[in-house]
């Protein structure tokens, strides 16, 4: 049975796309998500897919006997360092493996996908973050080789052109700086930035967890909806904090709704959009909207 879409106005939906972010952790059901993306396309929707690749990246790094060391900044923030050698290897996983798996999965379902990283067509332009101060053996040193960036712009023209021609863009890290340096940018932040830049009507982030849980070890404590992303941060740990930060950025950028849900449930995109699964995040309603809703 086909789940109804939140909006029946497909013409309006075509103007405001849906951005679907497929997580890269172990246990994410990529094929399951691609089934829904293909169906959304058949419904006349515009969809942009963003893929992560954390599990594949760690596996490929291990094959090359490499690792991304964790360091602590003077403020206590834990950062995983990305240097030129590790970034080249990570690209094999993000771009060469996972991104192409998504493209091939869509092709098997009759949907032409175009896989791009941030450097292709300058899809994602970022500003390289400044040298990083880290604590090493009780002393502070400066790491000038760390390749991390903050997104500055999205090539919406290229995305729109691809969609106008009937293609589904599949985007992944890394991004590129104005001077042509590749930098690591979090895939959740990429999804948020693309959603904002395109004026998406929804951002759906699918991973290996059911959504935001009050108790991370108890699925029955799922929070179904919240208009207080900042307040929910105290319940989040690990990668969920990145997702909530991305949700906040997307909402502040004008995206009406962000959904964080599981990729492994039946019809994962549809049941997220219809609020049958996962956690829905919105901004607080303005007082006028709340008053009108009660009349």
């Amino acid at each position: 049975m086909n789940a109804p879409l939140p909006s029946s106005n497909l013409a309006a939906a075509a103007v405001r796309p849906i951005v679907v972010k497929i997580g890269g952790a172990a246990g994410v059901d990529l094929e399951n998500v691609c089934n829904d993306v293909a169906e959304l396309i058949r419904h006349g929707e515009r969809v942009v897919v963003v893929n992560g690749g954390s599990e594949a990246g760690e596996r490929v790094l291990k094959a090359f006997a490499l690792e991304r060391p964790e360091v602590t900044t003077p403020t206590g923030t834990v950062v995983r360092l990305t240097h030129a050698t590790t970034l080249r290897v990570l690209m094999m996983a993000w771009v060469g493996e996972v991104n192409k798996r998504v493209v091939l999965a869509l092709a098997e379902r009759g949907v032409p996908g175009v896989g791009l990283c941030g450097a292709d067509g300058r899809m994602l332009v970022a500003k390289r973050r400044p040298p990083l101060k880290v604590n090493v053996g009780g002393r502070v040193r400066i790491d000038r080789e760390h390749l991390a960036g903050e997104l500055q712009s999205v090539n919406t023209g290229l995305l729109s052109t691809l969609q106008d021609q009937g293609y589904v863009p599949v985007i992944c890290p890394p991004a590129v700086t104005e001077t042509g340096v590749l930098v690591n940018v979090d895939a959740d932040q990429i999804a948020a930035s693309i959603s904002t830049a395109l004026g998406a009507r929804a951002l759906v982030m699918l991973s290996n967890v059911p959504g935001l849980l009050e108790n991370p070890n108890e699925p029955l404590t799922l929070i179904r909806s919240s208009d207080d992303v900042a307040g929910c941060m105290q319940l989040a740990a690990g990668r969920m904090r990145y997702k909530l930060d991305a949700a906040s950025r997307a909402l502040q950028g004008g995206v009406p709704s962000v959904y964080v849900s599981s990729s492994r449930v039946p019809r994962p995109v549809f049941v997220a959009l219809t609020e049958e699964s996962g956690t829905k995040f919105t901004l607080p309603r303005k007082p006028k909207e709340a008053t009108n809703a009660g009349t």
Side-chain angles (χ1 to χ4, degrees):
M1 180 178 70
N2 289 343
L5 293 173
S7 169
S8 60
N9 188 342
L10 295 183
V15 175
R16 303 194 71 180
I18 296 170
V19 176
V20 176
K21 194 270 179 169
I22 306 175
V28 170
D29 195 333
L30 182 152
E31 300 282 337
N32 198 28
V33 178
C34 287
N35 284 336
D36 275 10
V37 171
E39 187 166 342
L40 284 167
I41 297 300
R42 288 193 289 271
H43 272 284
E45 299 276 1
R46 283 196 171 196
V47 182
V48 176
V49 177
V50 176
N51 73 268
S54 55
E55 185 275 332
E58 294 304 314
R59 173 167 39 80
V60 176
L61 283 174
K62 185 176 180 180
F64 281 86
L66 295 171
E67 61 180 14
R68 295 173 63 198
E70 285 190 350
V71 297
T72 304
T73 69
T75 61
T77 302
V78 177
V79 178
R80 297 193 73 192
L81 296 178
T82 304
H83 295 134
T85 299
T86 52
L87 185 55
R88 285 196 295 270
V89 174
L90 288 169
M91 285 178 63
M92 296 179 189
W94 300 338
V95 185
E97 180 181 338
V98 183
N99 185 267
K100 300 318 168 195
R101 279 181 55 206
V102 177
V103 171
L104 289 173
L106 292 175
E108 290 174 356
R109 292 156 177 80
V111 174
V114 176
L116 302 167
C117 77
D120 297 312
R122 299 178 67 80
M123 176 62 66
L124 305 169
V125 176
K127 180 180 179 180
R128 184 176 176 179
R129 289 180 177 164
L132 187 66
K133 291 183 179 180
V134 298
N135 286 323
V136 179
R139 301 183 64 180
V140 176
R141 71 175 181 87
I142 298 177
D143 188 316
R144 302 182 186 280
E145 306 302 319
H146 180 47
L147 292 172
E150 186 73 25
L151 278 179
Q152 301 292 297
S153 65
V154 174
N155 190 340
T156 56
L158 178 53
L159 287 174
S160 297
T161 297
L162 289 170
Q163 292 181 305
D164 289 344
Q165 296 299 316
Y167 296 100
V168 173
V170 182
I171 314 300
C172 69
V176 67
T177 68
E178 291 286 357
T179 57
V181 177
L182 293 173
V183 290
N184 185 16
V185 177
D186 181 71
D188 290 328
Q189 294 299 333
I190 289 173
S193 293
I194 289 175
S195 299
T196 298
L198 291 178
R201 68 187 184 97
L203 166 59
V204 182
M205 294 191 284
L206 300 171
S207 64
N208 58 354
V209 296
L212 178 63
L213 304 175
E214 289 188 33
N215 180 349
N217 299 315
E218 181 48 69
L220 293 179
T221 64
L222 175 70
I223 295 172
R224 302 309 301 263
S225 65
S226 175
D227 63 1
D228 183 12
V229 180
C232 286
M233 273 292 187
Q234 62 184 326
L235 301 174
R239 288 295 313 175
M240 184 58 68
R241 295 186 66 85
Y242 288 84
K243 297 187 185 305
L244 294 194
D245 183 60
S248 178
R249 293 194 184 197
L251 293 170
Q252 295 294 335
V255 180
S257 304
V258 177
Y259 304 84
V260 178
S261 189
S262 172
S263 64
R264 298 185 289 188
V265 298
R267 302 177 61 75
V269 180
F270 284 94
V271 295
L273 289 169
T274 54
E275 302 177 45
E276 298 169 68
S277 178
T279 305
K280 177 183 179 181
F281 293 100
T282 57
L283 289 178
R285 288 191 299 175
K286 297 178 182 179
K288 182 178 179 180
E289 293 173 341
T291 300
N292 290 342
T295 59

